[in-house]
Each structure stands twice: as structure tokens, then as C-alpha cells.
PDB file of all heavy atoms in Angstrom:
ATOM      1  N   LEU A   1     103.824 105.195  90.267  1.00 95.00           N
ATOM      2  CA  LEU A   1     102.652 106.057  90.515  1.00 95.00           C
ATOM      3  C   LEU A   1     101.438 105.581  89.715  1.00 95.00           C
ATOM      4  O   LEU A   1     101.573 105.516  88.458  1.00 95.00           O
ATOM      5  CB  LEU A   1     103.031 107.522  90.154  1.00 95.00           C
ATOM      6  CG  LEU A   1     101.958 108.518  90.398  1.00 95.00           C
ATOM      7  CD1 LEU A   1     101.439 108.655  91.818  1.00 95.00           C
ATOM      8  CD2 LEU A   1     102.377 109.878  89.867  1.00 95.00           C
ATOM      9  N   ILE A   2     100.430 105.181  90.400  1.00 94.00           N
ATOM     10  CA  ILE A   2      99.193 104.732  89.659  1.00 94.00           C
ATOM     11  C   ILE A   2      98.037 105.698  89.941  1.00 94.00           C
ATOM     12  O   ILE A   2      97.702 106.005  91.093  1.00 94.00           O
ATOM     13  CB  ILE A   2      98.842 103.278  90.131  1.00 94.00           C
ATOM     14  CG1 ILE A   2      99.976 102.338  89.790  1.00 94.00           C
ATOM     15  CG2 ILE A   2      97.512 102.873  89.529  1.00 94.00           C
ATOM     16  CD1 ILE A   2      99.745 100.910  90.218  1.00 94.00           C
ATOM     17  N   ASP A   3      97.471 106.197  88.864  1.00 92.00           N
ATOM     18  CA  ASP A   3      96.349 107.049  88.905  1.00 92.00           C
ATOM     19  C   ASP A   3      95.088 106.142  88.838  1.00 92.00           C
ATOM     20  O   ASP A   3      94.884 105.526  87.784  1.00 92.00           O
ATOM     21  CB  ASP A   3      96.332 107.971  87.691  1.00 92.00           C
ATOM     22  CG  ASP A   3      95.139 108.953  87.630  1.00 92.00           C
ATOM     23  OD1 ASP A   3      94.239 108.859  88.520  1.00 92.00           O
ATOM     24  OD2 ASP A   3      95.138 109.784  86.713  1.00 92.00           O
ATOM     25  N   LEU A   4      94.322 106.097  89.925  1.00 92.00           N
ATOM     26  CA  LEU A   4      93.241 105.203  89.930  1.00 92.00           C
ATOM     27  C   LEU A   4      92.095 105.491  88.969  1.00 92.00           C
ATOM     28  O   LEU A   4      91.444 104.606  88.393  1.00 92.00           O
ATOM     29  CB  LEU A   4      92.615 105.124  91.362  1.00 92.00           C
ATOM     30  CG  LEU A   4      93.564 104.674  92.475  1.00 92.00           C
ATOM     31  CD1 LEU A   4      92.869 104.838  93.794  1.00 92.00           C
ATOM     32  CD2 LEU A   4      93.898 103.218  92.252  1.00 92.00           C
ATOM     33  N   ARG A   5      91.934 106.779  88.679  1.00 88.00           N
ATOM     34  CA  ARG A   5      91.008 107.328  87.758  1.00 88.00           C
ATOM     35  C   ARG A   5      89.510 107.088  88.105  1.00 88.00           C
ATOM     36  O   ARG A   5      88.689 107.921  87.912  1.00 88.00           O
ATOM     37  CB  ARG A   5      91.281 106.874  86.304  1.00 88.00           C
ATOM     38  CG  ARG A   5      92.601 107.412  85.841  1.00 88.00           C
ATOM     39  CD  ARG A   5      92.736 107.510  84.351  1.00 88.00           C
ATOM     40  NE  ARG A   5      92.739 106.209  83.761  1.00 88.00           N
ATOM     41  CZ  ARG A   5      93.191 106.020  82.463  1.00 88.00           C
ATOM     42  NH1 ARG A   5      93.587 107.015  81.815  1.00 88.00           N
ATOM     43  NH2 ARG A   5      93.162 104.779  81.935  1.00 88.00           N
ATOM     44  N   PHE A   6      89.175 105.874  88.514  1.00 86.00           N
ATOM     45  CA  PHE A   6      87.792 105.536  88.929  1.00 86.00           C
ATOM     46  C   PHE A   6      87.787 105.042  90.355  1.00 86.00           C
ATOM     47  O   PHE A   6      88.591 104.232  90.747  1.00 86.00           O
ATOM     48  CB  PHE A   6      87.228 104.493  88.022  1.00 86.00           C
ATOM     49  CG  PHE A   6      87.115 104.925  86.590  1.00 86.00           C
ATOM     50  CD1 PHE A   6      88.079 104.709  85.642  1.00 86.00           C
ATOM     51  CD2 PHE A   6      85.930 105.549  86.200  1.00 86.00           C
ATOM     52  CE1 PHE A   6      87.981 105.143  84.372  1.00 86.00           C
ATOM     53  CE2 PHE A   6      85.759 106.001  84.851  1.00 86.00           C
ATOM     54  CZ  PHE A   6      86.855 105.815  83.981  1.00 86.00           C
ATOM     55  N   LEU A   7      86.901 105.559  91.175  1.00 84.00           N
ATOM     56  CA  LEU A   7      86.934 105.296  92.576  1.00 84.00           C
ATOM     57  C   LEU A   7      85.782 104.422  93.026  1.00 84.00           C
ATOM     58  O   LEU A   7      85.815 103.916  94.203  1.00 84.00           O
ATOM     59  CB  LEU A   7      86.841 106.575  93.414  1.00 84.00           C
ATOM     60  CG  LEU A   7      88.009 107.541  93.120  1.00 84.00           C
ATOM     61  CD1 LEU A   7      87.786 108.787  94.009  1.00 84.00           C
ATOM     62  CD2 LEU A   7      89.329 106.908  93.368  1.00 84.00           C
ATOM     63  N   ASP A   8      84.784 104.175  92.217  1.00 84.00           N
ATOM     64  CA  ASP A   8      83.705 103.262  92.664  1.00 84.00           C
ATOM     65  C   ASP A   8      84.220 101.873  92.762  1.00 84.00           C
ATOM     66  O   ASP A   8      85.142 101.429  91.985  1.00 84.00           O
ATOM     67  CB  ASP A   8      82.485 103.391  91.763  1.00 84.00           C
ATOM     68  CG  ASP A   8      82.778 102.902  90.304  1.00 84.00           C
ATOM     69  OD1 ASP A   8      83.595 103.502  89.626  1.00 84.00           O
ATOM     70  OD2 ASP A   8      82.199 101.910  90.011  1.00 84.00           O
ATOM     71  N   ARG A   9      83.686 101.097  93.641  1.00 83.00           N
ATOM     72  CA  ARG A   9      84.238  99.736  93.938  1.00 83.00           C
ATOM     73  C   ARG A   9      84.116  98.835  92.698  1.00 83.00           C
ATOM     74  O   ARG A   9      84.999  97.942  92.535  1.00 83.00           O
ATOM     75  CB  ARG A   9      83.438  99.106  95.074  1.00 83.00           C
ATOM     76  CG  ARG A   9      83.733  99.863  96.365  1.00 83.00           C
ATOM     77  CD  ARG A   9      82.979  99.321  97.487  1.00 83.00           C
ATOM     78  NE  ARG A   9      83.156 100.199  98.633  1.00 83.00           N
ATOM     79  CZ  ARG A   9      83.042  99.808  99.909  1.00 83.00           C
ATOM     80  NH1 ARG A   9      82.627  98.584 100.166  1.00 83.00           N
ATOM     81  NH2 ARG A   9      83.276 100.619 100.857  1.00 83.00           N
ATOM     82  N   ALA A  10      83.121  99.028  91.810  1.00 84.00           N
ATOM     83  CA  ALA A  10      82.991  98.155  90.717  1.00 84.00           C
ATOM     84  C   ALA A  10      83.970  98.459  89.622  1.00 84.00           C
ATOM     85  O   ALA A  10      84.274  97.596  88.780  1.00 84.00           O
ATOM     86  CB  ALA A  10      81.553  98.312  90.163  1.00 84.00           C
ATOM     87  N   SER A  11      84.534  99.698  89.571  1.00 85.00           N
ATOM     88  CA  SER A  11      85.439 100.130  88.490  1.00 85.00           C
ATOM     89  C   SER A  11      86.891 100.163  88.832  1.00 85.00           C
ATOM     90  O   SER A  11      87.669 100.600  88.006  1.00 85.00           O
ATOM     91  CB  SER A  11      84.967 101.452  87.929  1.00 85.00           C
ATOM     92  OG  SER A  11      83.698 101.388  87.399  1.00 85.00           O
ATOM     93  N   LEU A  12      87.246  99.736  90.043  1.00 89.00           N
ATOM     94  CA  LEU A  12      88.710  99.766  90.335  1.00 89.00           C
ATOM     95  C   LEU A  12      89.374  98.677  89.495  1.00 89.00           C
ATOM     96  O   LEU A  12      88.917  97.549  89.340  1.00 89.00           O
ATOM     97  CB  LEU A  12      88.901  99.414  91.887  1.00 89.00           C
ATOM     98  CG  LEU A  12      88.659 100.629  92.765  1.00 89.00           C
ATOM     99  CD1 LEU A  12      88.765 100.165  94.207  1.00 89.00           C
ATOM    100  CD2 LEU A  12      89.692 101.690  92.470  1.00 89.00           C
ATOM    101  N   ASP A  13      90.584  99.044  89.026  1.00 88.00           N
ATOM    102  CA  ASP A  13      91.316  98.161  88.138  1.00 88.00           C
ATOM    103  C   ASP A  13      92.212  97.279  88.973  1.00 88.00           C
ATOM    104  O   ASP A  13      93.421  97.573  89.120  1.00 88.00           O
ATOM    105  CB  ASP A  13      92.112  99.061  87.145  1.00 88.00           C
ATOM    106  CG  ASP A  13      92.818  98.262  86.089  1.00 88.00           C
ATOM    107  OD1 ASP A  13      92.705  96.936  86.135  1.00 88.00           O
ATOM    108  OD2 ASP A  13      93.429  98.875  85.216  1.00 88.00           O
ATOM    109  N   TRP A  14      91.668  96.190  89.524  1.00 84.00           N
ATOM    110  CA  TRP A  14      92.435  95.322  90.324  1.00 84.00           C
ATOM    111  C   TRP A  14      93.428  94.452  89.535  1.00 84.00           C
ATOM    112  O   TRP A  14      94.378  93.901  90.048  1.00 84.00           O
ATOM    113  CB  TRP A  14      91.492  94.353  91.138  1.00 84.00           C
ATOM    114  CG  TRP A  14      90.691  95.035  92.119  1.00 84.00           C
ATOM    115  CD1 TRP A  14      89.305  95.253  92.074  1.00 84.00           C
ATOM    116  CD2 TRP A  14      91.143  95.650  93.332  1.00 84.00           C
ATOM    117  NE1 TRP A  14      88.959  95.954  93.186  1.00 84.00           N
ATOM    118  CE2 TRP A  14      90.009  96.214  93.962  1.00 84.00           C
ATOM    119  CE3 TRP A  14      92.393  95.857  93.895  1.00 84.00           C
ATOM    120  CZ2 TRP A  14      90.067  96.922  95.154  1.00 84.00           C
ATOM    121  CZ3 TRP A  14      92.482  96.606  95.097  1.00 84.00           C
ATOM    122  CH2 TRP A  14      91.313  97.084  95.712  1.00 84.00           C
ATOM    123  N   HIS A  15      93.151  94.309  88.275  1.00 80.00           N
ATOM    124  CA  HIS A  15      93.971  93.392  87.448  1.00 80.00           C
ATOM    125  C   HIS A  15      95.210  94.124  86.765  1.00 80.00           C
ATOM    126  O   HIS A  15      96.332  93.853  87.077  1.00 80.00           O
ATOM    127  CB  HIS A  15      93.153  92.683  86.387  1.00 80.00           C
ATOM    128  CG  HIS A  15      93.949  91.746  85.530  1.00 80.00           C
ATOM    129  ND1 HIS A  15      94.510  90.616  85.995  1.00 80.00           N
ATOM    130  CD2 HIS A  15      94.233  91.785  84.256  1.00 80.00           C
ATOM    131  CE1 HIS A  15      95.119  89.996  85.019  1.00 80.00           C
ATOM    132  NE2 HIS A  15      94.953  90.673  83.971  1.00 80.00           N
ATOM    133  N   ASN A  16      94.919  94.975  85.840  1.00 70.00           N
ATOM    134  CA  ASN A  16      95.991  95.633  85.082  1.00 70.00           C
ATOM    135  C   ASN A  16      96.689  96.754  85.758  1.00 70.00           C
ATOM    136  O   ASN A  16      97.975  96.750  85.782  1.00 70.00           O
ATOM    137  CB  ASN A  16      95.399  96.199  83.812  1.00 70.00           C
ATOM    138  CG  ASN A  16      94.882  95.091  82.843  1.00 70.00           C
ATOM    139  OD1 ASN A  16      95.513  94.053  82.773  1.00 70.00           O
ATOM    140  ND2 ASN A  16      93.721  95.318  82.222  1.00 70.00           N
ATOM    141  N   GLY A  17      95.972  97.640  86.412  1.00 65.00           N
ATOM    142  CA  GLY A  17      96.701  98.773  87.072  1.00 65.00           C
ATOM    143  C   GLY A  17      97.327  98.441  88.383  1.00 65.00           C
ATOM    144  O   GLY A  17      98.063  99.291  88.928  1.00 65.00           O
ATOM    145  N   TRP A  18      97.195  97.298  88.890  1.00 79.00           N
ATOM    146  CA  TRP A  18      97.707  96.979  90.230  1.00 79.00           C
ATOM    147  C   TRP A  18      98.909  96.022  90.173  1.00 79.00           C
ATOM    148  O   TRP A  18      99.299  95.476  91.219  1.00 79.00           O
ATOM    149  CB  TRP A  18      96.544  96.353  91.089  1.00 79.00           C
ATOM    150  CG  TRP A  18      95.463  97.371  91.138  1.00 79.00           C
ATOM    151  CD1 TRP A  18      94.611  97.722  90.132  1.00 79.00           C
ATOM    152  CD2 TRP A  18      95.122  98.197  92.201  1.00 79.00           C
ATOM    153  NE1 TRP A  18      93.760  98.705  90.585  1.00 79.00           N
ATOM    154  CE2 TRP A  18      94.040  99.007  91.836  1.00 79.00           C
ATOM    155  CE3 TRP A  18      95.634  98.325  93.479  1.00 79.00           C
ATOM    156  CZ2 TRP A  18      93.427  99.889  92.713  1.00 79.00           C
ATOM    157  CZ3 TRP A  18      95.061  99.203  94.401  1.00 79.00           C
ATOM    158  CH2 TRP A  18      93.934  99.954  93.953  1.00 79.00           C
ATOM    159  N   ARG A  19      99.476  95.824  89.060  1.00 87.00           N
ATOM    160  CA  ARG A  19     100.658  94.895  88.978  1.00 87.00           C
ATOM    161  C   ARG A  19     101.807  95.552  89.739  1.00 87.00           C
ATOM    162  O   ARG A  19     102.686  94.797  90.225  1.00 87.00           O
ATOM    163  CB  ARG A  19     101.049  94.775  87.525  1.00 87.00           C
ATOM    164  CG  ARG A  19     100.102  93.811  86.783  1.00 87.00           C
ATOM    165  CD  ARG A  19     100.532  93.672  85.420  1.00 87.00           C
ATOM    166  NE  ARG A  19      99.819  94.709  84.586  1.00 87.00           N
ATOM    167  CZ  ARG A  19      99.979  94.933  83.377  1.00 87.00           C
ATOM    168  NH1 ARG A  19     100.778  94.164  82.644  1.00 87.00           N
ATOM    169  NH2 ARG A  19      99.283  95.918  82.720  1.00 87.00           N
ATOM    170  N   GLY A  20     101.822  96.822  89.959  1.00 88.00           N
ATOM    171  CA  GLY A  20     102.844  97.467  90.729  1.00 88.00           C
ATOM    172  C   GLY A  20     102.913  97.031  92.179  1.00 88.00           C
ATOM    173  O   GLY A  20     104.010  96.930  92.750  1.00 88.00           O
ATOM    174  N   ILE A  21     101.767  96.668  92.748  1.00 90.00           N
ATOM    175  CA  ILE A  21     101.791  96.193  94.110  1.00 90.00           C
ATOM    176  C   ILE A  21     102.551  94.886  94.220  1.00 90.00           C
ATOM    177  O   ILE A  21     103.367  94.692  95.159  1.00 90.00           O
ATOM    178  CB  ILE A  21     100.276  95.983  94.633  1.00 90.00           C
ATOM    179  CG1 ILE A  21      99.579  97.313  94.664  1.00 90.00           C
ATOM    180  CG2 ILE A  21     100.275  95.285  95.965  1.00 90.00           C
ATOM    181  CD1 ILE A  21      98.090  97.191  94.910  1.00 90.00           C
ATOM    182  N   LYS A  22     102.355  94.029  93.275  1.00 90.00           N
ATOM    183  CA  LYS A  22     103.081  92.730  93.344  1.00 90.00           C
ATOM    184  C   LYS A  22     104.548  92.938  92.988  1.00 90.00           C
ATOM    185  O   LYS A  22     105.406  92.214  93.507  1.00 90.00           O
ATOM    186  CB  LYS A  22     102.474  91.727  92.320  1.00 90.00           C
ATOM    187  CG  LYS A  22     101.046  91.313  92.735  1.00 90.00           C
ATOM    188  CD  LYS A  22     100.460  90.363  91.712  1.00 90.00           C
ATOM    189  CE  LYS A  22      99.032  89.941  92.053  1.00 90.00           C
ATOM    190  NZ  LYS A  22      98.487  89.120  91.115  1.00 90.00           N
ATOM    191  N   LYS A  23     104.895  93.979  92.243  1.00 92.00           N
ATOM    192  CA  LYS A  23     106.294  94.243  91.895  1.00 92.00           C
ATOM    193  C   LYS A  23     107.025  94.925  93.065  1.00 92.00           C
ATOM    194  O   LYS A  23     108.119  94.455  93.413  1.00 92.00           O
ATOM    195  CB  LYS A  23     106.284  95.168  90.673  1.00 92.00           C
ATOM    196  CG  LYS A  23     107.716  95.542  90.210  1.00 92.00           C
ATOM    197  CD  LYS A  23     107.768  96.246  88.883  1.00 92.00           C
ATOM    198  CE  LYS A  23     107.147  97.641  88.999  1.00 92.00           C
ATOM    199  NZ  LYS A  23     107.356  98.409  87.767  1.00 92.00           N
ATOM    200  N   THR A  24     106.413  95.933  93.680  1.00 94.00           N
ATOM    201  CA  THR A  24     107.179  96.648  94.721  1.00 94.00           C
ATOM    202  C   THR A  24     106.970  96.157  96.108  1.00 94.00           C
ATOM    203  O   THR A  24     107.809  96.371  96.978  1.00 94.00           O
ATOM    204  CB  THR A  24     106.735  98.119  94.734  1.00 94.00           C
ATOM    205  OG1 THR A  24     105.389  98.267  95.132  1.00 94.00           O
ATOM    206  CG2 THR A  24     106.949  98.808  93.389  1.00 94.00           C
ATOM    207  N   LYS A  25     105.853  95.455  96.339  1.00 93.00           N
ATOM    208  CA  LYS A  25     105.554  94.854  97.620  1.00 93.00           C
ATOM    209  C   LYS A  25     105.315  95.832  98.733  1.00 93.00           C
ATOM    210  O   LYS A  25     105.239  95.583  99.884  1.00 93.00           O
ATOM    211  CB  LYS A  25     106.559  93.833  98.063  1.00 93.00           C
ATOM    212  CG  LYS A  25     106.805  92.688  97.063  1.00 93.00           C
ATOM    213  CD  LYS A  25     107.721  91.670  97.580  1.00 93.00           C
ATOM    214  CE  LYS A  25     108.041  90.583  96.616  1.00 93.00           C
ATOM    215  NZ  LYS A  25     107.218  90.273  95.544  1.00 93.00           N
ATOM    216  N   ARG A  26     105.118  97.119  98.358  1.00 93.00           N
ATOM    217  CA  ARG A  26     104.862  98.195  99.314  1.00 93.00           C
ATOM    218  C   ARG A  26     103.829  99.134  98.747  1.00 93.00           C
ATOM    219  O   ARG A  26     103.952  99.463  97.525  1.00 93.00           O
ATOM    220  CB  ARG A  26     106.142  99.015  99.644  1.00 93.00           C
ATOM    221  CG  ARG A  26     107.112  98.167 100.455  1.00 93.00           C
ATOM    222  CD  ARG A  26     108.433  98.979 100.553  1.00 93.00           C
ATOM    223  NE  ARG A  26     109.475  98.143 101.136  1.00 93.00           N
ATOM    224  CZ  ARG A  26     110.233  97.340 100.443  1.00 93.00           C
ATOM    225  NH1 ARG A  26     110.136  97.241  99.210  1.00 93.00           N
ATOM    226  NH2 ARG A  26     111.156  96.619 101.080  1.00 93.00           N
ATOM    227  N   VAL A  27     102.900  99.636  99.532  1.00 94.00           N
ATOM    228  CA  VAL A  27     101.881 100.546  99.002  1.00 94.00           C
ATOM    229  C   VAL A  27     101.705 101.800  99.874  1.00 94.00           C
ATOM    230  O   VAL A  27     101.691 101.631 101.100  1.00 94.00           O
ATOM    231  CB  VAL A  27     100.478  99.845  98.978  1.00 94.00           C
ATOM    232  CG1 VAL A  27      99.438 100.758  98.481  1.00 94.00           C
ATOM    233  CG2 VAL A  27     100.575  98.584  98.081  1.00 94.00           C
ATOM    234  N   LEU A  28     101.635 102.911  99.247  1.00 93.00           N
ATOM    235  CA  LEU A  28     101.318 104.162  99.900  1.00 93.00           C
ATOM    236  C   LEU A  28     100.166 104.789  99.210  1.00 93.00           C
ATOM    237  O   LEU A  28     100.132 104.865  97.919  1.00 93.00           O
ATOM    238  CB  LEU A  28     102.506 105.133  99.748  1.00 93.00           C
ATOM    239  CG  LEU A  28     102.338 106.572 100.276  1.00 93.00           C
ATOM    240  CD1 LEU A  28     102.186 106.555 101.761  1.00 93.00           C
ATOM    241  CD2 LEU A  28     103.503 107.437  99.882  1.00 93.00           C
ATOM    242  N   ILE A  29      99.135 105.159  99.946  1.00 93.00           N
ATOM    243  CA  ILE A  29      97.958 105.756  99.377  1.00 93.00           C
ATOM    244  C   ILE A  29      97.987 107.243  99.661  1.00 93.00           C
ATOM    245  O   ILE A  29      98.113 107.673 100.846  1.00 93.00           O
ATOM    246  CB  ILE A  29      96.659 105.142  99.971  1.00 93.00           C
ATOM    247  CG1 ILE A  29      96.622 103.649  99.633  1.00 93.00           C
ATOM    248  CG2 ILE A  29      95.424 105.874  99.505  1.00 93.00           C
ATOM    249  CD1 ILE A  29      95.575 102.893 100.319  1.00 93.00           C
ATOM    250  N   VAL A  30      97.867 108.063  98.599  1.00 93.00           N
ATOM    251  CA  VAL A  30      97.864 109.491  98.721  1.00 93.00           C
ATOM    252  C   VAL A  30      96.500 109.986  98.359  1.00 93.00           C
ATOM    253  O   VAL A  30      96.002 109.760  97.286  1.00 93.00           O
ATOM    254  CB  VAL A  30      98.907 110.147  97.802  1.00 93.00           C
ATOM    255  CG1 VAL A  30      98.873 111.649  97.923  1.00 93.00           C
ATOM    256  CG2 VAL A  30     100.301 109.606  98.101  1.00 93.00           C
ATOM    257  N   GLU A  31      95.864 110.689  99.329  1.00 90.00           N
ATOM    258  CA  GLU A  31      94.519 111.258  99.070  1.00 90.00           C
ATOM    259  C   GLU A  31      94.390 112.628  99.708  1.00 90.00           C
ATOM    260  O   GLU A  31      95.119 112.978 100.595  1.00 90.00           O
ATOM    261  CB  GLU A  31      93.441 110.307  99.555  1.00 90.00           C
ATOM    262  CG  GLU A  31      93.341 110.190 101.100  1.00 90.00           C
ATOM    263  CD  GLU A  31      92.179 109.453 101.544  1.00 90.00           C
ATOM    264  OE1 GLU A  31      91.133 109.429 100.850  1.00 90.00           O
ATOM    265  OE2 GLU A  31      92.245 108.844 102.600  1.00 90.00           O
ATOM    266  N   GLN A  32      93.470 113.381  99.245  1.00 84.00           N
ATOM    267  CA  GLN A  32      93.127 114.635  99.778  1.00 84.00           C
ATOM    268  C   GLN A  32      91.901 114.550 100.647  1.00 84.00           C
ATOM    269  O   GLN A  32      90.812 114.781 100.153  1.00 84.00           O
ATOM    270  CB  GLN A  32      92.947 115.674  98.674  1.00 84.00           C
ATOM    271  CG  GLN A  32      92.875 117.088  99.123  1.00 84.00           C
ATOM    272  CD  GLN A  32      92.688 118.070  97.930  1.00 84.00           C
ATOM    273  OE1 GLN A  32      92.359 117.579  96.802  1.00 84.00           O
ATOM    274  NE2 GLN A  32      92.933 119.294  98.153  1.00 84.00           N
ATOM    275  N   GLY A  33      92.071 114.218 101.899  1.00 77.00           N
ATOM    276  CA  GLY A  33      90.919 114.036 102.708  1.00 77.00           C
ATOM    277  C   GLY A  33      91.395 113.659 104.164  1.00 77.00           C
ATOM    278  O   GLY A  33      92.560 113.426 104.386  1.00 77.00           O
ATOM    279  N   ALA A  34      90.444 113.545 105.014  1.00 71.00           N
ATOM    280  CA  ALA A  34      90.749 113.220 106.418  1.00 71.00           C
ATOM    281  C   ALA A  34      91.038 111.735 106.554  1.00 71.00           C
ATOM    282  O   ALA A  34      90.465 110.897 105.873  1.00 71.00           O
ATOM    283  CB  ALA A  34      89.578 113.613 107.306  1.00 71.00           C
TER     284      ALA A  34
END
């Protein structure tokens, strides 16, 4: 479970917080919206 914390395109943590994507090879995005 990764808490993005920042949603603007310039502040997304593509390096440190996203190691899980390479580890699990599967992604589910949970959001409160349409």
C-alpha cells in the first residue's frame, strides 16, 4: 500500500515510493472519484 501524498505531476515520487510496482508487477489504483 503506497500513499502518494502529493498528486501534482511534478511531486509524484516515481523513484523511491514506486519500487513496489517493480516488485509486485501489478498495480491497483484506489481513488474516490468518477
Side-chain angles (χ1 to χ4, degrees):
L1 179 61
I2 297 179
D3 179 358
L4 299 174
R5 299 201 292 197
F6 295 91
L7 301 180
D8 65 296
R9 294 177 186 203
S11 296
L12 280 174
D13 188 355
W14 293 112
H15 181 66
N16 294 322
W18 301 73
R19 287 180 270 179
I21 294 172
K22 294 179 182 178
K23 179 171 67 172
T24 66
K25 301 182 183 344
R26 293 174 187 85
V27 178
L28 174 67
I29 297 171
V30 178
E31 69 173 330
Q32 187 177 17

